[in-house]
């Protein structure tokens, strides 16, 4: 079991190792070609040809500093064949390389002989680690100096810290010079023999750093995984180790994964298996015990079921009786609702007939006047025809025809108003409803001396309603407004219709005494009236309120801030093609 989790850990370690090597190679490759480019610069070639020229030295210092800042490298400097540094990007710093001799460094020795200098070391002047690239400076084919790039790799090292693995990089002598753990720096994973120490001292790779051996013990698992046990102040810690060589830099990169996690996972798995087996055995015992109890419980249930069936039969009989009583009550309620609907319809019709009764005197006048005029025109036409004045007689006959058409129009509106509407709703244009309403209430407005001011936006709004019932609502409201302003100085009545989104608001405002607060809550009650005896049934607003509610709208009465009352009808707007409402 432990071997399985070690294999998984090794696979993760190999993936991490590949990423670490790729990151290091990418960092080095970024600067690899730059020393050659600077070595070919004319100013640098001129400097090594005339190193005593102060102007060339200053120019080179500034140029190297600018390049170093741009590339974010550690340092760039130029050396003569004897190893002396004559220009550097850090010329103006306390740790300037100018005047220092680095002829002992392998990167200088390789480059001065025409090769490519590569070396990792701890700076003897700056005491900062870095990777050095060296390139020869040639003038007419002769090597007259070396340009060196020092690359800082601390950023890569910082990214390794805080992970669940350790990454180390060792030099050819097995000395760790890069690690996420600072206490491992400059320690050796191999024995520090005299030969290794001597080779390191010649190049001064680590300056004056104290080199010690890391207390490690190597071993191998049966599956071939390399293990490193590191002993420290907190005890020994075992790691599974994966390594990969970087021959271009002469490095070895190692990834160390703590084996505590695989061991813990294996222990957890074994513990879980033991618990699972124990639970299985316990489950079997519980199953057998429950099986015996189940047989006993089934017997009890069978007896209880017989008793339950007996009680269910009794309860079913009771419920059936209750259900029959409920059905009878529902039938009675439906019959009552039908009676209520018919009563409401009869009340609406009674309200219409009451209004027609109140109009009878005025209607008699409306019909008698045209009839008397028609009789006079007919007598005159006969006399004119006897005298041969045919044109004047034809004019009188035309006047008679106009009077007949007016009486027919009044009769049509009264017939439509008096008939019982059906309950269907349709798209009703307000312009037509307003015109028909005005024909019916004209006599009342005239009797009260009231002026109806209509403000209808264009195009005319279309609402979802029934045209006859909506006309009755408007007749009731406008008639009430005429009653309110009769005998007053200001007898204007405003009829306004506006569309507001998905709704249409129709308002009727008068300049009368308004609605007292004390009766505002009872204004829609049936048979409630503020008029005198014999002047109404008190059903107008109640009927109107129910009609508007049937339309899915709302009706409210408020006091206007400037005096009088304002009645507002809110109906749903209709976007359908205009047609005659189905009533």
């Amino acid at each position: 079991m432990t071997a399985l989790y070690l294999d998984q850990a090794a696979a993760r370690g190999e993936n991490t190792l590949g990423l670490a090597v790729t990151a290091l190679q990418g960092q080095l490759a970024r600067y690899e070609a730059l020393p050659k480019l600077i070595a070919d610069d004319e100013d640098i070639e001129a400097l090594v040809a005339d190193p005593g020229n102060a102007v060339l030295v200053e120019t080179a210092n500034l140029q190297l500093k600018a390049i170093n800042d741009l590339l974010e490298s550690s340092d760039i400097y130029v050396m003569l064949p004897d190893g002396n540094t004559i220009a550097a990007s850090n010329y103006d710093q306390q740790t300037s390389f100018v005047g220092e001799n680095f002829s002992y460094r392998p990167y200088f020795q390789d480059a001065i002989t025409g090769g490519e200098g590569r070396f990792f070391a701890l700076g003897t002047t700056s005491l900062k680690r870095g990777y050095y690239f060296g390139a020869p400076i040639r003038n007419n084919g002769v090597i007259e100096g070396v340009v060196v790039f020092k690359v800082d790799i601390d950023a890569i090292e910082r990214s390794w810290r805080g992970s669940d693995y350790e990454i180390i990089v060792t030099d050819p002598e097995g000395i760790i010079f890069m690690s996420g753990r600072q206490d491992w720096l400059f320690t050796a994973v191999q024995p520090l023999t005299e030969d290794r120490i001597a080779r390191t001292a010649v190049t001064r790779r680590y300056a004056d750093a104290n080199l010690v051996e890391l207390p490690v013990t190597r071993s191998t698992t049966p599956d071939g995984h390399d293990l490193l046990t590191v002993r420290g102040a907190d005890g020994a810690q075992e790691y599974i180790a994966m390594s990969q060589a970087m021959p271009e830099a002469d490095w070895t990169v190692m990834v160390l994964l703590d084996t505590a996690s695989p061991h813990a996972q294996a222990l957890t798995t074994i513990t879980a298996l033991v618990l699972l087996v124990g639970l299985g055995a316990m489950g079997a015992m519980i199953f057998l015990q429950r099986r015996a109890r189940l047989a006993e419980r089934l017997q009890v249930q069978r007896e209880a079921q017989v008793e339950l069936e007996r009680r269910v039969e009794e309860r079913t009989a009771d419920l059936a009786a209750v259900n029959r009583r409920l059905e009878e009550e529902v039938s009675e309620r439906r019959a009552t609702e039908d009676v209520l609907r018919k009563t409401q319809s009869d009340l609406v019709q009674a309200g219409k007939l009451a209004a027609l009764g109140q109009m009878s005197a005025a209607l008699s006048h409306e019909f008698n006047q045209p009839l008397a005029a028609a009789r006079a025109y007919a007598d005159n036409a006969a006399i004119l025809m006897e005298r041969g004045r045919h044109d004047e007689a034809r004019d009188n006959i035309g006047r008679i025809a106009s009077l007949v058409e007016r009486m027919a129009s009044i009769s049509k509106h009264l017939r439509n108003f008096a008939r019982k509407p059906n309950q269907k709703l349709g798209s009703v244009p307000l312009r037509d409803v307003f015109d028909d309403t005005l024909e019916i209430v004209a006599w009342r407005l005239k009797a009260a001396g009231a002026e109806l001011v209509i403000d209808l936006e264009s195009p005319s709004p279309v609402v979802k309603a029934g045209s006859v019932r909506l006309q009755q609502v408007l007749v009731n409201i406008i008639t009430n407004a005429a009653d309110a302003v009769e005998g007053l100085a200001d007898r204007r009545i405003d009829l306004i219709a506006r569309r507001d989104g998905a709704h249409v608001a129709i308002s009727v405002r008068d300049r009368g005494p308004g609605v007292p607060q004390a009766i505002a809550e009872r204004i829609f009650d049936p048979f409630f009236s503020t008029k005198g005896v014999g002047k109404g049934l008190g059903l107008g607003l109640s009927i109107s309120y129910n009609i508007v509610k049937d339309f899915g709208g709302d009706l409210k009465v408020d006091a206007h801030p400037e005096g009088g009352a304002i009645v507002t009808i809110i109906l749903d707007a209709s976007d359908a093609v205009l047609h005659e409402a189905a009533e």
Side-chain angles (χ1 to χ4, degrees), residues 221-422:
T221 66
D223 295 327
H225 297 303
D226 293 330
L227 299 178
L228 260 67
T229 302
V230 181
R231 296 180 301 279
D234 299 332
Q237 191 167 2
E238 186 183 63
Y239 298 93
I240 182 171
M242 286 70 62
S243 62
Q244 180 177 336
M246 288 182 60
E248 68 276 13
D250 205 11
W251 293 348
T252 300
V253 183
M254 298 180 67
V255 173
L256 306 179
L257 286 171
D258 193 345
T259 58
S261 178
H263 286 308
Q265 289 177 313
L267 180 61
T268 302
T269 302
I270 292 172
T271 304
L273 289 174
V274 172
L275 289 174
L276 185 60
V277 172
L279 289 173
M282 186 181 297
M285 293 176 61
I286 294 173
F287 172 74
L288 294 175
Q289 186 179 18
R290 288 187 174 181
R291 186 174 181 182
R293 292 182 178 178
L294 179 61
E296 181 182 356
R297 190 181 301 114
L298 288 175
Q299 179 61 31
V300 174
Q301 287 180 351
R302 280 192 292 270
E303 296 174 358
Q305 186 174 0
V306 173
E307 177 66 17
L308 179 62
E309 289 177 353
R310 184 185 64 79
R311 293 183 180 181
V312 167
E313 289 178 358
E314 294 177 356
R315 185 61 177 166
T316 301
D318 294 340
L319 290 175
V322 172
N323 199 22
R324 284 193 296 273
R325 288 196 297 272
L326 288 175
E327 289 178 353
E328 292 173 0
E329 291 181 5
V330 170
S331 299
E332 292 176 0
R333 286 175 180 266
R334 287 177 178 171
T336 302
E337 289 177 358
D338 293 339
V339 172
L340 287 175
R341 290 193 189 96
K342 185 177 183 303
T343 302
Q344 183 184 19
S345 178
D346 292 343
L347 285 174
V348 171
Q349 192 66 16
K352 291 183 181 180
L353 296 177
L356 289 175
Q358 292 176 359
M359 288 188 259
S360 59
L363 291 173
S364 174
H365 179 72
E366 288 291 327
F367 279 104
N368 286 336
Q369 271 191 334
L371 287 173
R375 176 60 183 270
Y377 284 134
D379 293 341
N380 289 340
I383 295 172
L384 291 172
M385 290 178 67
E386 290 176 358
R387 297 178 179 178
R389 296 164 62 180
H390 298 291
D391 290 339
E392 294 180 17
R394 188 178 295 108
D395 181 64
N396 281 4
I397 293 172
R399 293 175 183 270
I400 293 172
S402 297
L403 292 172
V404 171
E405 287 178 1
R406 172 167 175 74
M407 288 187 291
S409 175
I410 294 173
S411 175
K412 175 185 176 183
H413 287 300
L414 291 174
R415 184 177 66 253
N416 290 338
F417 180 74
R419 71 178 181 178
K420 287 188 177 181
N422 58 32

Side-chain angles (χ1 to χ4, degrees), residues 6 50 107 153 192 241 292 333 376 396 431 450 452 481 483 560 562:
L6 286 175
D50 187 10
Y107 62 77
I153 55 176
L192 283 175
R333 286 175 180 266
N396 281 4
R431 170 62 68 187
L452 182 64
D483 292 341
H560 196 276
E562 298 178 1

Side-chain angles (χ1 to χ4, degrees), residues 345 347-359 363 409-421 433 436-441 443 467-477 479 540 543-544 547 583:
S345 178
L347 285 174
V348 171
Q349 192 66 16
K352 291 183 181 180
L353 296 177
L356 289 175
Q358 292 176 359
M359 288 188 259
L363 291 173
S409 175
I410 294 173
S411 175
K412 175 185 176 183
H413 287 300
L414 291 174
R415 184 177 66 253
N416 290 338
F417 180 74
R419 71 178 181 178
K420 287 188 177 181
V433 175
D436 293 344
T437 301
L438 185 59
E439 287 285 346
I440 296 173
V441 300
W443 66 272
S467 61
V468 174
R469 286 188 289 167
L470 179 57
Q471 178 183 330
Q472 179 182 352
V473 171
L474 291 175
V475 168
N476 288 339
I477 295 172
T479 301
I543 293 172
S544 299
I547 290 174
E583 292 209 67

Side-chain angles (χ1 to χ4, degrees), residues 67-99:
I67 295 174
N68 189 64
D69 293 340
L70 177 64
L71 299 179
E72 298 181 350
S73 52
S74 179
D75 300 292
I76 309 173
Y77 48 100
V78 177
M79 302 166 61
L80 293 176
D82 58 1
N84 283 325
T85 303
I86 58 174
S89 60
N90 62 357
Y91 72 96
D92 56 351
Q93 299 178 14
Q94 187 176 357
T95 57
S96 172
F97 292 169
V98 176

